[in-house]
Amino acid sequence: MEKKINRLLRRLQLEFVLMWAIVVAEVVLFEADFLPQGTLTANAKADYFMRLSGILLALALIPLSLRLFNLSLTRYVRQLPLPGALVSYRRWSEVRLSLLLAPAVFNLTSYYCTLNTTGLLCTGMVMIASLFCVPGRQRLLSELDLINPADEAEV
């Protein structure tokens, strides 16, 4: 079982790094002029729509991703036997990262298309929220109730 936990942890860490890599790659592509910048600066309606959509996505999906994961843990994942719980934990972790990646990419695209810093601010909020999702061994074990609170205090 330890081998499965280690494999799951490596996979979750890889997915987390991949999420950050996607955002950094998008920045590099825009800054290196592989993707066009400022395409919507002259269109006020598109600028407004992009900013509004980006703000609403960030405001809706940040708390949703964090709360949905917590609810799934308490109501579903912890009730399963360990092999099923590991599979379900991985699936919900991927859902949480996807819910954070979508507004990050949209807002970063919005920033580079409109050259309005609202998209950059929302991307920053999403990426900071993703730091609450960093996978680690202690977090995995405590969220799946595999260690006692007394053991956790000693570490």
Side-chain angles (χ1 to χ4, degrees):
M1 195 51 59
E2 189 69 28
K3 190 176 182 181
K4 286 184 180 183
I5 291 174
N6 289 336
R7 191 177 323 136
L8 171 66
L9 191 56
R10 279 193 312 270
R11 183 177 178 126
L12 291 176
Q13 290 169 341
L14 177 67
E15 290 170 354
F16 183 79
V17 169
L18 183 63
M19 175 193 161
W20 277 81
I22 289 170
V23 173
V24 169
E26 185 179 7
V27 170
V28 168
L29 288 173
F30 273 112
E31 290 296 329
D33 286 332
F34 285 112
L35 297 174
Q37 295 182 28
T39 55
L40 298 176
T41 53
N43 190 343
K45 287 182 182 180
D47 180 20
Y48 175 76
F49 176 74
M50 293 284 283
R51 282 188 291 146
L52 180 66
S53 300
I55 291 169
L56 291 176
L57 271 174
L59 287 177
L61 292 182
I62 290 172
L64 178 69
S65 67
L66 299 175
R67 185 69 182 144
L68 188 64
F69 183 77
N70 189 20
L71 284 175
S72 71
L73 274 179
T74 56
R75 293 188 180 172
Y76 179 68
V77 176
R78 289 181 181 159
Q79 315 306 325
L80 295 173
L82 188 57
L86 292 176
V87 171
S88 185
Y89 185 86
R90 187 184 110 218
R91 183 178 344 115
W92 282 107
S93 294
E94 290 169 349
V95 167
R96 177 172 60 176
L97 283 180
S98 299
L99 287 174
L100 290 173
L101 182 62
V105 169
F106 181 83
N107 279 303
L108 203 53
T109 303
S110 170
Y111 166 68
Y112 279 107
C113 288
T114 63
L115 299 178
N116 189 315
T117 57
T118 304
L120 195 59
L121 175 67
C122 290
T123 299
M125 289 179 355
V126 171
M127 297 314 287
I128 289 171
S130 76
L131 295 176
F132 290 103
C133 307
V134 177
R137 184 170 190 74
Q138 285 299 116
R139 171 177 279 188
L140 173 74
L141 295 176
S142 68
E143 286 178 342
L144 291 177
D145 287 336
L146 296 177
I147 57 175
N148 296 330
D151 296 338
E152 200 172 300
E154 292 174 8
V155 175

